[in-house]
């Protein structure tokens, strides 16, 4: 990108996303100049990996499924190994438009935050979650806001930018499943600055949400429990 | 009767655990709690007065039930020990899998190892 000091890596964690992965990579190619793309294939059993490779993306292949958190973490490890200093997480299901990536990058380039979260709720974006999902997102956002001390409106958003310092921190502590909310709490405890920017998102373009009715209960309990434990955890800064 | 059964079961398990260690199927690290629990039960079952006294102390009306309480507490301890061990194994397993993913990519790219970490 323009600034030579900033090498940007786009991390796409993917698990069985053959329907959408090609469009996501293409979208990124159209809207970012010079950013590298790494797809972390979290043990997919479909053609995700083949398609990603044929689109020219670097593919890191987990030998088995370990959860989206582990996939993002692998991405961080790769970024640090290769000398990237900004990471952008983009979902493989097409929810995150590549044209919004620049909005996430800008505050990091100017050193205004260590982690920038793309929020669907800062400005009216036309996104309408179901009632249950909306309540879940609202609850998590309120809990995280209370802990972090700044207003967070979209704590479950996986559309994020992370700077070098935060990457080095997260590569050892990133949660395995449903990591988004917990990661914010950990980052806050680690002394990092979190900032939200308004972005628009699309509804998923294919595949299925990992959060089904049955799992949402597990999700809710697991994340709330993890947050409570995180608050008590000792974290080396 | 409950005394004899307790002693018998504990002795059989004790020998079984020792044999498993001898054959290399069980690591000493994971056998300590097993052996300790069996020794405890055996001692309490053989030494009736101690059993009676401890029962009085903790308010157990029928002393042989104390044997079950002790055995049960040890089972819980052993299970907790395993949960901790599994958590640590699964974390290590994840780190290994991630390392494999990174190495596989590097082999694929034929990047020389010396170029890592700038």
């Amino acid at each position: 990108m323009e600034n030579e000091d900033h090498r940007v890596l786009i991390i796409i964690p993917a698990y069985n996303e053959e329907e959408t992965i090609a469009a996501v990579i293409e979208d990124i190619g159209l809207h970012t100049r010079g950013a590298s793309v790494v797809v972390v294939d979290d043990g997919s059993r479909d053609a995700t990996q083949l398609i990603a490779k044929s689109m020219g993306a670097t593919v890191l292949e987990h030998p088995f499924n370990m959860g989206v958190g582990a996939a993002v973490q692998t991405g961080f490890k790769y970024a640090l190994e290769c000398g990237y200093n900004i990471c952008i997480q983009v979902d493989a299901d097409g929810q995150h438009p590549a044209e919004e990536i620049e909005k996430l990058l800008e505050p990091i380039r100017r050193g205004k935050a260590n982690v920038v979260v793309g929020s669907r709720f800062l400005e009216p974006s036309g996104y309408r979650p179901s009632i249950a999902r909306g309540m879940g997102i609202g609850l998590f956002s309120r809990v995280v806001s209370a802990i972090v001390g700044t207003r967070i409106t979209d704590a479950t958003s996986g559309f994020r930018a992370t700077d070098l310092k935060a990457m080095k921190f997260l590569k050892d502590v990133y949660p395995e499943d449903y990591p988004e909310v917990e990661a914010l709490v950990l980052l806050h405890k680690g002394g990092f600055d979190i900032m939200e920017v308004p972005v628009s998102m699309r509804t998923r373009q294919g595949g299925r949400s990992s959060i089904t009715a049955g799992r949402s209960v597990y999700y809710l309990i697991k994340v709330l429990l993890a947050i409570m434990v995180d608050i008590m955890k000792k974290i080396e800064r | 009767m409950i005394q004899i059964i307790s002693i018998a079961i504990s002795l059989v398990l004790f020998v079984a655990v020792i044999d498993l260690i001898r054959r290399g199927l069980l690591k000493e690290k994971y056998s300590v709690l097993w052996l300790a629990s069996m020794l405890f039960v055996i001692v309490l079952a053989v030494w009736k007065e101690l059993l009676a006294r401890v029962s009085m102390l903790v308010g157990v009306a029928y002393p042989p039930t104390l044997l079950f309480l002790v055995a049960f507490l040890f089972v819980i301890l052993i299970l907790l020990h395993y949960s901790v061990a599994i958590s640590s194994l699964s974390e290590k397993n994840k780190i290994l899998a991630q390392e494999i993913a990174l190495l596989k990519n590097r082999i694929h790219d034929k990047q020389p190892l010396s170029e890592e970490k700038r």
Side-chain angles (χ1 to χ4, degrees), chain B residues 2-112:
Chain B
I2 187 73
Q3 236 185 322
I4 300 167
I5 294 173
S6 302
I7 296 171
I9 292 176
S10 295
L11 273 178
V12 168
L13 279 174
F14 193 87
V15 173
V17 169
I18 298 277
D19 189 52
L20 282 171
I21 299 173
R22 195 182 55 81
R23 287 192 287 160
L25 294 173
L26 180 63
K27 288 196 181 219
E28 288 85 345
K29 190 175 154 190
Y30 295 105
S31 65
V32 177
L33 272 173
W34 282 114
L35 296 176
S37 66
M38 284 146 208
L39 281 177
F40 245 84
V41 171
I42 291 173
V43 167
L44 282 177
V46 173
W47 192 358
K48 271 177 130 178
E49 284 151 53
L50 181 72
L51 186 68
R53 208 172 296 164
V54 177
S55 300
M56 285 254 289
L57 220 69
V58 294
V60 173
Y62 179 59
T65 23
L66 186 69
L67 286 179
F68 288 108
L69 183 66
V70 169
F72 180 68
L73 288 178
F74 266 106
V75 167
I76 288 194
L77 209 61
I78 291 168
L79 283 178
L80 190 63
H81 180 226
Y82 282 157
S83 298
V84 172
I86 289 169
S87 299
S88 143
L89 281 176
S90 94
E91 177 65 19
K92 286 175 187 163
N93 191 47
K94 182 186 80 179
I95 293 170
L96 279 178
Q98 291 177 322
E99 206 60 38
I100 287 174
L102 293 169
L103 285 173
K104 220 171 167 181
N105 175 259
R106 193 140 63 187
I107 292 169
H108 188 261
D109 286 0
K110 295 204 182 73
Q111 280 173 358

Side-chain angles (χ1 to χ4, degrees), chain A residues 11 95 110 126 140 149 152-153 167 202 204-205:
Chain A
I11 301 172
Q95 273 192 78
R110 295 205 287 153
F140 285 138
I152 301 290
T153 58
M167 264 195 277
R202 295 183 284 246
R204 57 174 41 247
Q205 306 295 298

Side-chain angles (χ1 to χ4, degrees), chain A residues 7 53 58-64 66 69-71 73-74 77-78 80-83 172 174-176, chain B residues 87 90-106 108-109 111 115-118:
Chain A
R7 299 186 66 218
K53 275 184 180 154
T58 302
V59 176
L60 300 174
E61 176 195 356
H62 282 178
F64 40 78
M66 292 191 285
Q73 194 182 33
T74 304
K77 289 180 179 180
Y78 175 78
L80 291 167
E81 223 171 63
C82 299
D172 293 320
Y174 211 67
E176 270 165 57
Chain B
S87 299
S90 94
E91 177 65 19
K92 286 175 187 163
N93 191 47
K94 182 186 80 179
I95 293 170
L96 279 178
Q98 291 177 322
E99 206 60 38
I100 287 174
L102 293 169
L103 285 173
K104 220 171 167 181
N105 175 259
R106 193 140 63 187
H108 188 261
D109 286 0
Q111 280 173 358
E115 252 204 5
E116 85 179 303
K117 281 174 195 161
R118 281 170 227 189

